[in-house]
Amino acid sequence: MKHCGTQTISTPRLTLRRFAQNDLEDMLTNWAGDEAVQSEYGEPSYPTAEEAQALLDKYMSGYASDSFYRWAVIEKESGQNIGQIAFCRVYEDIRTAEIEYCIGRAFQGHGYAGEALSAVIAEIMKSTDFKRLEAYHRAENTKSGRVLEKSEMHITDNVERFRQQGELPTGEVCYCIERD
């Protein structure tokens, strides 16, 4: 499979780049330490500097592999790390990846998640041979639902995560985009 790893992507308002040590304070303040943000996409919060540092170290160590995709979302205007977007699962055998994202509460409602998602989709379709990108949200997570509804992705009946578990999504809304 042709991978490109986490390459820097620029949009009009954002820089998507690899995580770096100087992201720690913004991660802790803007999103990783916020229970409300983290629970929206099914992750624990990291309320202490030590816990957030362990998460950051995990992210940064992943960059040793070209099949690791995780971007820090940097708002150009403020220079702050306002969230992250990543492939939380990569299924190389079927050239499919599952996308996750989160944006800190103070930065939600400004279209940043959608801007980051569109940029990642475009870059990955240009630079790799992934055939399909997938995402899903819990039905009650309407904010994430709006991001996916506005994206290039379309609703699909299932995603690989649930297929491999032999399950149908219950309470989740699945989306995908496939290479033409």
Side-chain angles (χ1 to χ4, degrees):
M1 177 158 183
K2 178 184 171 192
H3 287 287
C4 68
T6 306
Q7 301 297 317
T8 300
I9 303 169
S10 185
T11 74
R13 301 180 301 155
L14 303 172
T15 299
L16 309 178
R17 60 156 172 79
R18 291 179 174 204
F19 278 86
Q21 187 56 49
N22 64 353
D23 287 315
L24 180 62
E25 187 177 324
D26 286 347
M27 284 174 60
L28 189 58
T29 302
N30 292 336
W31 57 275
D34 188 336
E35 175 71 30
V37 171
Q38 292 296 95
S39 68
E40 285 294 320
Y41 80 108
E43 291 292 321
S45 63
Y46 300 86
T48 69
E50 293 78 20
E51 290 170 308
Q53 182 65 58
L55 179 65
L56 180 58
D57 290 345
K58 178 181 162 187
Y59 290 172
M60 292 190 309
S61 70
Y63 298 127
S65 171
D66 279 347
S67 64
F68 183 78
Y69 298 88
R70 185 168 301 271
W71 294 266
V73 177
I74 309 301
E75 181 189 49
K76 286 181 178 177
E77 184 177 328
S78 69
Q80 290 187 60
N81 177 316
I82 64 168
Q84 62 97 20
I85 185 166
F87 290 177
C88 55
R89 288 185 168 66
V90 173
Y91 306 97
E92 290 200 30
D93 57 329
I94 57 171
R95 297 189 337 215
T96 297
E98 180 183 323
I99 300 172
E100 68 176 10
Y101 50 84
C102 76
I103 299 293
R105 275 194 282 178
F107 301 93
Q108 292 176 3
H110 301 283
Y112 292 133
E115 188 172 326
L117 179 60
S118 291
V120 166
I121 290 170
E123 181 62 30
I124 292 304
M125 291 302 190
K126 178 181 84 175
S127 300
T128 72
D129 61 355
F130 278 102
K131 289 175 26 180
R132 181 178 166 111
L133 301 177
E134 301 177 330
Y136 74 91
H137 69 90
R138 291 182 311 283
E140 66 271 10
N141 186 347
T142 57
K143 292 176 189 174
S144 189
R146 284 193 299 274
V147 170
L148 292 170
E149 286 169 10
K150 293 177 183 180
S151 78
E152 308 91 313
M153 300 177 104
H154 62 276
I155 290 179
T156 187
D157 62 343
N158 209 342
V159 292
E160 192 60 28
R161 173 193 296 241
F162 298 120
R163 282 188 205 95
Q164 290 201 2
Q165 295 170 357
E167 299 175 4
L168 290 174
T170 54
E172 295 89 10
V173 182
C174 300
Y175 285 78
C176 75
I177 186 167
E178 297 167 305
R179 186 178 298 280
D180 292 333

